[in-house]
Amino acid sequence: MQDLTRGAALAYNASMVLRIGSAVFVVCPDDRLQSLYYRVDGGVRSVWRHLRGSEIHPRLIQDAEEANRKLWEQAPALPLPEEFLVGYRDLAAATLAHLDRDEAVPRDEMSARAIETVGFLEAGLDSAAGAVDFERSCQAATELLLEGWAEDPLSTMRRVRRESDVWALVYQRFVRPELGLGHGLSD
């Protein structure tokens, strides 16, 4: 049962980091920062491969953790509230640590951190009005999807991954109008 519980927790955390992180992606102004973001994203997305049975590659996770630190060092170049960026960094770090070292943060704590993080986005950008309510709805929907984990983890994981990608687009839309940025989405 522990493996089922851990798998569901990994999927929940990955979904959260990937959707919220897409707001960070859309504001990365150059290839260097986008590359750092993609390295973090790649580490978090390795959760999906792991849940399909692939081995965890420590080097990939270490690279993602290093990129997460370097991306944070570049945070002043990103036009988002600093507290939002701190929250994203911490959520990504907790997810990567859970995957690599099984240092799990309880789901309710991760959820509360995500709501707090998104609250900084909402408070800092007029275009992000409603982001906290949206995050709450994503968390509730993820919880509902994960109810099927014990019966069919693979199909459940695929549904969570698919929905996470859709929710990520909404996070991009929260920051695009205010910042006048457009890579990642077309008008």
Side-chain angles (χ1 to χ4, degrees), residues 52-149:
R52 286 192 310 261
S54 295
E55 189 176 317
I56 298 171
H57 297 285
R59 183 66 197 132
L60 174 68
I61 302 305
Q62 290 166 354
D63 185 56
E65 290 172 327
E66 178 185 330
N68 194 33
R69 285 187 296 276
K70 287 181 178 179
L71 186 59
W72 167 246
E73 292 169 5
Q74 301 301 313
L78 301 176
L80 291 174
E82 181 179 354
E83 298 88 351
F84 173 77
L85 295 167
V86 168
Y88 168 73
R89 177 201 63 195
D90 293 349
L91 289 167
T95 298
L96 292 167
H98 188 191
L99 182 62
D100 187 36
R101 296 177 295 283
D102 201 23
E103 296 174 8
V105 175
R107 188 183 296 180
D108 59 338
E109 186 177 329
M110 286 291 284
S111 295
R113 285 183 184 183
I115 295 296
E116 179 182 39
T117 296
V118 172
F120 294 123
L121 182 67
E122 185 175 86
L125 299 177
D126 290 341
S127 61
V132 170
D133 288 339
F134 179 71
E135 177 56 28
R136 283 189 178 111
S137 72
C138 291
Q139 289 181 14
T142 304
E143 291 282 354
L144 283 173
L145 288 169
L146 289 174
E147 288 178 4
W149 193 268

Side-chain angles (χ1 to χ4, degrees), residues 5 12 15 18 48-51 74 81 89 97 100 106 121 144 147 150 173 176 180:
T5 301
Y12 185 86
S15 174
L18 293 171
W48 306 135
R49 290 185 300 280
H50 173 65
L51 293 173
Q74 301 301 313
R89 177 201 63 195
D100 187 36
L121 182 67
L144 283 173
E147 288 178 4
R173 289 182 189 114
R176 280 186 65 226

Side-chain angles (χ1 to χ4, degrees), residues 8 10-26 37 41 45 48 84 111 114 118 121 130-147 156-176 184-185:
L10 285 169
Y12 185 86
N13 292 350
S15 174
M16 185 182 311
V17 172
L18 293 171
R19 66 179 173 259
I20 293 171
S22 68
V24 175
F25 163 73
V26 84
Y37 173 81
D41 186 70
R45 285 185 184 276
W48 306 135
F84 173 77
S111 295
V118 172
L121 182 67
V132 170
D133 288 339
F134 179 71
E135 177 56 28
R136 283 189 178 111
S137 72
C138 291
Q139 289 181 14
T142 304
E143 291 282 354
L144 283 173
L145 288 169
L146 289 174
E147 288 178 4
T156 301
M157 180 273 302
R158 287 181 180 138
R159 284 192 299 276
V160 170
R161 186 189 71 218
R162 207 172 21 252
E163 289 301 316
S164 299
D165 289 341
V166 171
W167 296 327
L169 295 175
V170 175
Y171 272 96
Q172 290 181 9
R173 289 182 189 114
F174 282 140
V175 299
R176 280 186 65 226
L185 287 176

